[in-house]
Amino acid sequence: MAASLKQTTSEIATAFDKLLSSSTLRLRTHDAGCVSVVAVERYVAVPRPSVNKPTTTCYSYDVTVTDGVYRAKCQLAPELNSLVHKCVLRTGVEIRIVQCSFLYNEKCLRPGCVLIEGIEFGGERSPLLQTLTQEDVGSLPFFTSRVRNVLAHSDGPLKVEKKHYLPLWNNDDPYGVLWKCDIAPPSNGQALECNLSRGIHLCDLELFWGCTSRFPPVLVRVMYKSRLRFFGKPDGRIDIPYQAYFEVADCTGLMSMVLWNGMCPEWYQKLHVGTVILVENYAMKQAFGSRTQPTPADPSMTVLRSTEISVNTLAPTGKITIIPQEAVKPEWKLPDITYKFVTRCQLDNLSPGDTCDVIGLVTFVGRCERIKKKDEAERYWTYRWVHIVDDTTEQPFILEIFASSQPEAFSNIYPMSYLVCTQMRVVGEARGHTMNYLTSSNESQVYCAGYHRGQPYVSHPRVKSFIKWTKTLSEEALLRKTVIGGYYRFPHSPDTFTPSSDDSEAPSLTSTSELQQEMEALHYREHRCLAVQGFIAAVRYVAWPAARGASGGQPEQPMPAATSSSETQEPRDQAHQGAPAARAGAGTPLSESGEQNNRTTGTAAKRSRCPYNLRVTKRRYCTGAASQTRRVTKSEQDAPTDEKTVQADPRKRSRPQQDDSEQPDPADCQSSSDTLAVVTLEEVPSPSWECGVWSAVQQHLSVHLNHSLHSASVPRKFDYKRREFLMQQHNLHPAKWQPPPAAATACDIEDFIPVCNHGYYVVTIMGVNQQVAIDAVFLPVMSPDDPRRVGRPQAPHDNTLLSCLTEGFVSPESTGTTGWGGARQSFPSPGAIMQTAGSLDRVQVICLLDLYQLGGGQVEVFLNKLYRLTDIAVKV
């Protein structure tokens, strides 16, 4: 807090006092001071008055900023929402508010608030926040004014029509002070005994249905727990529109219990699998038959599906009492929690749709990804891919873990830790292949490091045998097999391409003229797979630099670090204490030139490490109204040349345009974990090929979309001692500012060994109309440590370029038996592969492209698979 105490003037007070003193309640300035973003919070937008009801749900954002003296919560103009969608405006960055206005809600007698209409970006990492702790920021007062009545502070949205915030990146997690975790003690013993004496068994509830509105208490144990479901609508009148299912049981059977609305924030995080509760003042309703149902591990348990218990805050007001575990009596005959743990060897014998429980040691953790829900404009599923191994085989479980309303557990999965997942659903014959994998169900629960203590499964024989096996492992050997992050695609694409239909999950066939629009529409961490038809116009191989520090090799050439996206949680326990750190010093990936909008920041200590000529861009974003009214003044004309202005096109409200920026001196190049960068290095000529018509056609293209390999796209070897930094890189960026862990401040993503250090190919795909071309990265699977290798058919092929692009890997020419992993493989040279490229000349193909929004407007484009016309199942 020392930094803020030395600061005598407040940028927030200076600017907002001018705003509130203005007769127009609007302020536009060119000398605004810097403020730091400490919170970006989302809620359902209030629909604007119109004749027709809104068909899709849109969202608004409140932004909290600080200058070290005050905090201020402001609304963000809807025209600037795209800055949040792409994680450009995020916590931890430095901004200048260049235009704002003051708004009142004319439908209620309540203070007004500030609306941000124009933003200019400063540093990627706020210098102010680097001097403050989270407690320092939380203790700063909110700005108030004597001129006008300003809403100083609110735990909920500034728009009073909404009562709570949603999580920033999905709708499935609890977020905000509304959600309670503390457990209230049960009522006095005499009242509890009285209520228990009036209790009724679940199997007898149907006898009361239709006869009374007040049902006797039920004493049950929570057997299964679903993820939260948010069903809010723009014009909805329910303050807290949530729903959560619990499967509860007594000695007579299993029945669904539903928490509605305000009961969810009160009780959802207090009720866990195994919790014993007394439920009173509930209602009985006919069961909803369309939802998914958990599969009880005990086949002898009676399942009561015709009715369900409904607990709400109104008519009547539900009452739940938690019974401490030590107070549970054997004479109640409540069922124990049972599990259906399977080993990796047993998984292949299960049928698609079966549910099971698994325990394993994490060897690979993928980055967080988001996919859009069907028919929803801004609703996303959040998920990540994880590999775990057990004691039955070296083949891992492949887990597709969706957010299960356990945000701390979801973001705390890291290699070399134990992971337990319950109620996972088997997916068989993964798109043409015979390998089963597991995906989350609605009732799946995830338990990682720090969350195992006290869980019912700790005494299960399968868990005990697994723990015993892990004690025999070599930590050093295990650490060499662990990987985190990078581009990962599963299930592998089928050998035959089938165009998508309305009821299929196959990639849609997209025109190349629509690719740029598709990429600009991507939100932060969103993944999409598209199919395009055209020709392979050119291919070039990009070799990576030699290993750092190798004798006689090239000098160290680090790249600026990848994107910073964190939701870091310090692990509460560890599978292996004191695990050795992986040896840093592997080859650094090389990225091609042609990318725009490269930005770097960092500490001065790292400046001498950066020998590249990088672009640094400062951008200004304004609403459509601001861009229309903006005037060029003399102060703007005399502004420094390294500060560029970007304004939103009034006809395209959510797409800011960016000017070109100058290149700074190499001495000013900095490195930062919060920056995405693509770096150009000098290199020796690499093998390349062009089709016969490419030199003539490329001069007449309307668009050529240039993409290359990003540092964030490369999977890395895991380093146990620096796991906080790696988890921060691959989790989602937090809605509220969190200071980076102390061990992470000196880390650079390039300090971690890349798994794929053999180079990559840049494939230029030209549309069939020869109007648009796009460069896509092809990163072939060659390393035995590459997580993409698992489950991929390894039948040898002839190693032509066409075969490599079709199969996704380079086939080894010879195999020995040496070293860790059991094999040393020899591969053909890139030049030898490129010599076979002539078979692609003027051959029409279909390419599957994986698009992924890394954050900050950067999009990675990977070539997933190439199909010839003979590989198409249905020709259209």
Side-chain angles (χ1 to χ4, degrees):
M1 196 70 182
S4 63
L5 292 177
K6 295 178 182 179
Q7 190 169 347
T8 57
T9 60
S10 168
E11 300 291 349
I12 290 177
T14 301
F16 288 1
D17 282 340
K18 291 181 181 178
L19 169 66
L20 299 175
S21 301
S22 170
S23 59
T24 62
L25 295 181
R26 188 175 299 272
L27 175 68
R28 186 170 65 249
T29 179
H30 308 296
D31 57 353
C34 291
V35 293
S36 303
V37 180
V38 294
V40 179
E41 298 176 292
R42 182 177 68 112
Y43 55 96
V44 175
V46 179
R48 296 180 180 180
S50 62
V51 177
N52 300 322
K53 292 185 177 181
T55 56
T56 59
T57 303
C58 296
Y59 299 89
S60 296
Y61 299 89
D62 288 345
V63 179
T64 303
V65 296
T66 183
D67 58 5
V69 179
Y70 290 108
R71 285 181 291 167
K73 181 186 285 190
C74 311
Q75 290 184 29
L76 186 69
E79 291 84 356
L80 301 182
N81 284 356
S82 62
L83 299 178
V84 180
H85 296 164
K86 292 174 171 50
C87 204
V88 177
L89 177 58
R90 61 181 185 267
T91 57
V93 301
E94 185 180 62
I95 66 172
R96 296 179 180 90
I97 302 175
V98 296
Q99 179 158 327
C100 56
S101 60
F102 193 75
L103 292 181
Y104 288 101
N105 187 336
E106 297 180 348
K107 291 185 177 181
C108 64
L109 300 175
R110 197 182 185 192
C113 62
V114 176
L115 177 70
I116 298 177
E117 297 177 330
I119 294 177
E120 182 181 285
F121 282 85
E124 296 284 342
R125 293 182 61 187
S126 166
L128 171 65
L129 293 180
Q130 296 182 39
T131 65
L132 301 177
T133 66
Q134 207 164 9
E135 291 75 17
D136 292 339
V137 173
S139 64
L140 294 176
F142 279 85
F143 169 78
T144 57
S145 173
R146 297 179 181 179
V147 179
R148 296 184 187 273
N149 194 5
V150 179
L151 183 59
H153 174 61
S154 173
D155 291 331
L158 293 177
K159 293 184 178 180
V160 296
E161 295 87 347
K162 303 300 176 182
K163 304 298 183 183
H164 67 96
Y165 287 114
L166 292 167
L168 188 56
W169 305 118
N170 64 35
N171 289 351
D172 303 314
D173 293 333
Y175 173 82
V177 297
L178 188 69
W179 299 83
K180 300 178 181 179
C181 298
D182 57 312
I183 299 178
S187 56
N188 63 78
Q190 292 184 352
L192 182 61
E193 288 293 339
C194 177
N195 292 335
L196 290 176
S197 64
R198 298 188 294 106
I200 188 176
H201 288 143
L202 293 179
C203 66
D204 297 328
L205 279 177
E206 290 187 357
L207 301 177
F208 288 83
W209 191 26
C211 302
T212 179
S213 60
R214 298 190 65 86
F215 297 90
V218 291
L219 181 68
V220 292
R221 187 190 297 275
V222 177
M223 307 297 289
Y224 303 100
K225 178 181 180 179
S226 75
R227 69 166 62 94
L228 282 169
R229 175 177 172 263
F230 175 76
F231 57 90
K233 300 295 181 182
D235 54 351
R237 298 187 178 184
I238 301 176
D239 289 339
I240 308 174
Y242 281 95
Q243 177 197 63
Y245 272 88
F246 294 81
E247 302 300 318
V248 297
D250 63 8
C251 60
T252 65
L254 180 76
M255 181 179 287
S256 297
M257 180 183 75
V258 193
L259 296 187
W260 290 94
N261 306 329
M263 295 297 293
C264 290
E266 179 72 23
W267 290 101
Y268 183 80
Q269 295 194 107
K270 299 178 184 178
L271 303 183
H272 308 284
V273 174
T275 303
V276 178
I277 57 176
L278 180 68
V279 185
E280 304 173 80
N281 298 343
Y282 56 90
M284 292 295 298
K285 294 185 178 181
Q286 186 174 357
F288 182 64
S290 299
R291 75 177 188 91
T292 61
Q293 303 285 350
T295 303
D298 184 2
S300 63
M301 180 172 290
T302 302
V303 180
L304 308 171
R305 294 296 185 206
S306 60
T307 57
E308 61 188 23
I309 299 171
S310 179
V311 187
N312 208 329
T313 54
L314 299 173
T317 301
K319 180 180 179 182
I320 297 177
T321 303
I322 295 178
I323 310 298
Q325 190 61 37
E326 60 272 12
V328 177
K329 299 180 180 181
E331 54 265 28
W332 295 343
K333 298 181 180 180
L334 296 176
D336 295 326
I337 303 298
T338 55
Y339 295 93
K340 185 183 178 181
F341 281 103
V342 299
T343 64
R344 179 59 187 87
C345 286
Q346 296 170 336
L347 176 63
D348 292 331
N349 298 325
L350 299 181
S351 301
D354 288 349
T355 57
C356 63
D357 310 314
V358 293
I359 182 173
L361 196 62
V362 178
T363 57
F364 165 70
V365 177
R367 59 196 181 184
C368 291
E369 300 186 8
R370 302 164 71 211
I371 53 174
K372 187 173 295 185
K373 296 183 179 181
K374 292 183 179 180
D375 303 324
E376 292 290 348
E378 296 183 35
R379 291 197 181 190
Y380 289 84
W381 295 110
T382 304
Y383 70 101
R384 71 193 325 162
W385 291 95
V386 177
H387 291 184
I388 62 174
V389 296
D390 64 8
D391 52 334
T392 61
T393 178
E394 292 186 356
Q395 193 81 349
F397 291 97
I398 300 181
L399 309 178
E400 183 184 27
I401 300 179
F402 285 83
S404 55
S405 303
Q406 300 171 281
E408 292 82 8
F410 184 79
S411 61
N412 200 39
I413 302 173
Y414 58 88
M416 297 190 69
S417 62
Y418 304 151
L419 183 68
V420 174
C421 299
T422 62
Q423 286 292 303
M424 299 294 286
R425 198 171 302 279
V426 178
V427 182
E429 298 184 357
R431 295 194 179 181
H433 304 304
T434 57
M435 182 177 181
N436 286 349
Y437 71 97
L438 297 173
T439 188
S440 300
S441 67
N442 192 48
E443 294 79 20
S444 292
Q445 294 288 289
V446 177
Y447 305 94
C448 60
Y451 298 90
H452 298 301
R453 186 181 301 275
Q455 298 299 333
Y457 56 75
V458 295
S459 59
H460 195 280
R462 171 60 193 149
V463 175
K464 290 184 175 180
S465 65
F466 170 80
I467 299 298
K468 184 177 180 181
W469 167 73
T470 59
K471 295 179 180 179
T472 66
L473 300 176
S474 167
E475 292 179 348
E476 185 176 358
L478 178 64
L479 189 62
R480 288 198 296 266
K481 299 180 183 180
T482 55
V483 180
I484 188 169
Y487 168 69
Y488 180 85
R489 173 64 188 270
F490 194 88
H492 304 299
S493 300
D495 295 331
T496 303
F497 175 74
T498 304
S500 65
S501 58
D502 293 339
D503 57 349
S504 70
E505 297 182 358
S508 58
L509 199 58
T510 304
S511 169
T512 53
S513 62
E514 300 173 350
L515 283 176
Q516 185 170 8
Q517 181 181 355
E518 292 284 351
M519 287 187 286
E520 291 175 349
L522 290 174
H523 285 210
Y524 173 60
R525 296 293 181 94
E526 180 181 357
H527 169 257
R528 287 201 65 188
C529 182
L530 302 177
V532 296
Q533 57 177 325
F535 305 93
I536 302 301
V539 182
R540 64 183 184 274
Y541 176 78
V542 183
W544 290 353
R548 292 182 178 180
S551 59
Q554 299 178 3
E556 180 178 334
Q557 295 179 327
M559 286 171 48
T563 221
S564 172
S565 51
S566 61
E567 194 170 308
T568 308
Q569 299 290 337
E570 181 69 21
R572 301 183 188 177
D573 64 355
Q574 300 157 357
H576 298 278
Q577 295 286 348
R583 179 181 57 84
T588 304
L590 171 71
S591 296
E592 287 291 307
S593 62
E595 288 288 337
Q596 298 179 356
N597 309 341
N598 298 327
R599 297 169 296 165
T600 60
T601 62
T603 60
K606 292 188 178 181
R607 292 183 180 181
S608 60
R609 298 178 54 197
C610 186
Y612 317 121
N613 198 20
L614 300 181
R615 286 184 175 184
V616 180
T617 302
K618 292 184 179 181
R619 297 167 294 167
R620 173 176 292 179
Y621 295 88
C622 296
T623 63
S627 63
Q628 289 178 339
T629 58
R630 185 173 181 80
R631 298 179 180 177
V632 179
T633 62
K634 186 177 185 301
S635 61
E636 287 177 304
Q637 296 171 352
D638 297 336
T641 58
D642 65 339
E643 184 171 301
K644 300 297 180 182
T645 301
V646 178
Q647 299 177 5
D649 188 333
R651 296 167 299 177
K652 300 176 182 179
R653 296 167 57 184
S654 61
R655 281 174 47 193
Q657 306 295 321
Q658 182 169 329
D659 295 343
D660 292 334
S661 60
E662 68 176 29
Q663 294 183 352
D665 186 87
D668 293 331
C669 294
Q670 304 174 15
S671 177
S672 170
S673 62
D674 293 289
T675 304
L676 276 173
V678 177
V679 180
T680 303
L681 303 177
E682 295 297 328
E683 60 175 89
V684 296
S686 297
S688 61
W689 169 86
E690 294 181 358
C691 72
V693 300
W694 176 237
S695 58
V697 172
Q698 65 177 330
Q699 305 298 327
H700 305 285
L701 294 174
S702 60
V703 178
H704 187 175
L705 302 172
N706 296 309
H707 294 275
S708 191
L709 186 66
H710 294 275
S711 182
S713 304
V714 181
R716 306 277 173 172
K717 286 290 188 179
F718 182 67
D719 186 333
Y720 188 83
K721 291 183 178 179
R722 294 183 288 179
R723 63 190 181 277
E724 291 90 354
F725 171 78
L726 290 171
M727 292 162 62
Q728 180 190 63
Q729 292 290 301
H730 298 102
N731 285 328
L732 296 171
H733 201 83
K736 291 187 176 181
W737 175 74
Q738 300 172 357
T745 55
C747 289
D748 188 304
I749 193 64
E750 291 304 324
D751 295 335
F752 299 87
I753 303 173
V755 173
C756 309
N757 56 2
H758 47 263
Y760 63 95
Y761 298 82
V762 177
V763 182
T764 302
I765 305 163
M766 178 175 60
V768 290
N769 292 325
Q770 300 183 2
Q771 297 296 315
V772 178
I774 182 172
D775 292 343
V777 173
F778 173 62
L779 188 63
V781 177
M782 296 174 65
S783 169
D785 297 333
D786 194 328
R788 297 176 297 154
R789 189 173 184 268
V790 178
R792 182 182 295 273
Q794 295 292 320
H797 57 79
D798 57 6
N799 277 331
T800 63
L801 182 58
L802 175 61
S803 298
C804 293
L805 296 177
T806 301
E807 300 298 331
F809 66 96
V810 179
S811 184
E813 292 181 327
S814 60
T815 303
T817 56
T818 180
W820 174 81
R824 171 174 293 174
Q825 297 174 327
S826 174
F827 297 91
S829 67
I833 295 176
M834 201 68 74
Q835 288 178 357
T836 67
S839 60
L840 291 171
D841 196 3
R842 305 185 188 184
V843 175
Q844 186 172 345
V845 295
I846 289 181
C847 300
L848 292 189
L849 300 180
D850 282 321
L851 310 181
Y852 183 74
Q853 223 281 6
L854 293 161
Q858 298 284 355
V859 178
E860 70 175 25
V861 181
F862 273 86
L863 176 58
N864 181 343
K865 190 175 181 65
L866 181 144
Y867 294 98
R868 297 164 294 185
L869 292 183
T870 55
D871 299 326
I872 302 176
V874 179
K875 295 184 180 181
V876 293

